[in-house]
Amino acid sequence: MKTREYELDFLKVVATILIMFHHYQQDTRVFFEGKINFFNGKFYFGLVVELFFILSGYFMYDYIKKIEEGYPFPKFYVKRLVRFFPLLFISAACYEVILNWFEQVFLYKWSDISISLWGLIITSLGIQAGWSLDNPVINNPTWYISVLMLCYVIFYFLIYIAKRLNLKVEYLFIVMIFIGMGIRDFGLNLPFLNASSCRGYYAFFFGVLFAEFLRKHKITKKETLICGLVPIILTLLIVYTECLMVKGIDYVMTFVYYPALIIFCKYGIGNILNHPFIGLMGKISFDVFIWHHPVNMFMIIAIYRFNIPCNIYRFRTMLIYALICWVVGTISYICIDKPIAGLIKRKFKYIS
């Protein structure tokens, strides 16, 4: 029986918090003097999303054999769509309401974003970015889900093609990594070949190959120690060295930093992180990610509209915002995510 990998849940929790801080500073344009800055600082924390893609690819590895044995595409894709659709729809609809409230309070549009039924539809379907459509910026952080859904489609059909042509599918995954890097390096902006999709391509398919590597290679204590030192050294270089690795830092994070961090967490401190509470936090982190941008918008409006004595430019306020996000995410998980998931499993056994 497969057990949950709590150490990876821990990484998801940490990554979610970093992304929340990143978007908080991005939306408020606040800069903390003498403190770490998650936006417009020395490091672009938006690259944490690459870790999400790697982990998503990692967890897809076990599906390779299933698909090779005839696992149908409708079942594969719909299972993932219904996993995301309810929360995507509800959060996007709430975001539309918040946008309307913002216009009424401030008398101008948030970042020139217009309320859009079309945006609500394609966001809910997980095709808002990376596909052949423009990103309507409806709960914009969920572009990650959109690109992830695209990666799932490509993942399935690469396995299907490899089986039909009697090829090793790993070669096709490597091709996708280079395609993603090529899109990024040459600045392509075409349907399915753009700045959003490329990040998913090279990180997601690397995650699949990384999972295969970890299953076939026994990690030694020496290798675990080295992997523990790599993130520390790279972090110090980023913090204390001007312009070091600025060009290609996303590749350094994807192919060096995050893999080393995953190995160290799994084989170095895995026993410390092996607790069901961390697993629960990992599950809730998805809801927190979905809701953190609407919560941020709501806070900004509410503070101004009701003259709440809370300075959004203080570091403490950002911590309060993070706590509120986790409360909202927990409520969402208990009242929306879990009940809907259970209902889907009972009513649609075909995709369970």
Side-chain angles (χ1 to χ4, degrees):
M1 183 177 177
K2 183 180 178 181
T3 58
R4 191 169 184 91
E5 299 185 59
Y6 296 121
E7 61 277 2
L8 301 186
D9 283 317
F10 173 76
L11 288 178
K12 284 194 291 184
V13 170
V14 173
T16 300
I17 293 172
L18 294 177
I19 284 294
M20 288 162 50
F21 289 166
H22 170 73
H23 286 140
Y24 179 87
Q25 288 197 255
Q26 185 179 38
D27 290 341
T28 60
R29 294 296 189 269
V30 60
F31 186 86
F32 301 118
E33 292 291 344
K35 294 184 175 68
I36 185 171
N37 283 280
F38 301 90
F39 182 76
N40 275 342
K42 286 192 172 184
F43 176 74
Y44 178 63
F45 278 87
L47 294 177
V48 172
V49 175
E50 269 71 352
L51 176 57
F52 287 137
F53 281 122
I54 291 173
L55 293 176
S56 297
Y58 175 93
F59 289 117
M60 278 292 102
Y61 176 75
D62 291 333
Y63 275 91
I64 295 176
K65 186 176 181 180
K66 290 184 180 181
I67 295 171
E68 289 175 340
E69 292 175 349
Y71 195 74
F73 176 74
K75 183 175 182 178
F76 173 82
Y77 186 78
V78 174
K79 180 178 181 179
R80 275 140 198 85
L81 180 60
V82 297
R83 167 69 180 92
F84 298 131
F85 177 81
L87 273 181
L88 287 177
F89 175 77
I90 295 171
S91 65
C94 289
Y95 187 76
E96 294 273 30
V97 173
I98 292 172
L99 282 177
N100 182 60
W101 190 28
F102 184 92
E103 290 183 31
Q104 293 179 8
V105 172
F106 293 99
L107 303 180
Y108 65 89
K109 295 180 180 179
W110 170 265
S111 298
D112 294 324
I113 300 172
S114 298
I115 298 172
S116 166
L117 176 61
W118 176 243
L120 174 62
I121 293 172
I122 67 173
T123 299
S124 301
L125 293 175
I127 54 174
Q128 75 180 88
W131 298 60
S132 60
L133 304 168
D134 291 332
N135 186 351
V137 199
I138 303 301
N139 195 9
N140 194 40
T142 58
W143 71 264
Y144 154 73
I145 304 297
S146 178
V147 175
L148 182 59
M149 294 300 294
L150 177 58
C151 288
Y152 285 151
V153 173
I154 297 172
F155 171 78
Y156 184 96
F157 284 104
L158 287 182
I159 297 171
Y160 178 81
I161 291 170
K163 182 173 174 56
R164 291 292 298 269
L165 299 180
N166 198 27
L167 297 173
K168 289 198 68 173
V169 72
E170 289 82 359
Y171 295 148
L172 299 184
F173 293 159
I174 292 172
V175 170
M176 285 305 304
I177 293 173
F178 281 105
I179 287 176
M181 295 170 67
I183 296 169
R184 175 217 181 266
D185 293 341
F186 292 102
L188 295 182
N189 189 26
L190 301 170
F192 307 103
L193 305 171
N194 48 61
S196 293
S197 62
C198 74
R199 297 173 66 182
Y201 293 163
Y202 64 72
F204 176 89
F205 288 100
F206 173 76
V208 180
L209 294 175
F210 184 60
E212 181 177 52
F213 168 77
L214 291 184
R215 282 163 173 77
K216 295 183 177 180
H217 178 75
K218 181 175 175 58
I219 303 297
T220 65
K221 291 183 178 180
K222 181 179 179 181
E223 290 169 335
T224 301
L225 178 61
I226 293 173
C227 287
L229 292 174
V230 167
I232 296 174
I233 294 171
L234 288 177
T235 299
L236 292 174
L237 290 174
I238 292 170
V239 171
Y240 294 106
T241 307
E242 292 292 334
C243 300
L244 180 71
M245 299 182 299
V246 169
K247 186 175 181 180
I249 185 63
D250 44 356
Y251 295 152
V252 173
M253 299 303 294
T254 301
F255 304 129
V256 181
Y257 193 105
Y258 295 142
L261 190 61
I262 290 171
I263 289 174
F264 180 70
C265 286
K266 279 182 65 65
Y267 303 101
I269 58 175
N271 291 334
I272 300 174
L273 303 174
N274 188 22
H275 195 282
F277 177 75
I278 292 179
L280 177 61
M281 293 292 286
K283 294 177 182 178
I284 295 174
S285 67
F286 173 71
D287 292 72
V288 176
F289 177 81
I290 293 294
W291 285 107
H292 80 274
H293 192 56
V295 168
N296 193 16
M297 283 285 296
F298 184 88
M299 273 188 60
I300 292 172
I301 301 170
I303 288 172
Y304 178 84
R305 174 66 178 80
F306 302 109
N307 295 317
I308 298 174
C310 183
N311 187 347
I312 64 172
Y313 300 104
R314 301 181 69 175
F315 195 87
R316 182 174 61 184
T317 304
M318 186 173 72
L319 297 179
I320 295 172
Y321 153 74
L323 178 61
I324 293 173
C325 285
W326 279 96
V327 171
V328 172
T330 301
I331 294 172
S332 173
Y333 175 74
I334 295 172
C335 300
I336 301 175
D337 204 1
K338 275 188 76 175
I340 291 177
L343 178 64
I344 289 172
K345 286 182 179 181
R346 291 193 300 271
K347 297 293 184 180
F348 303 96
K349 294 182 179 179
Y350 171 73
I351 61 173
S352 62

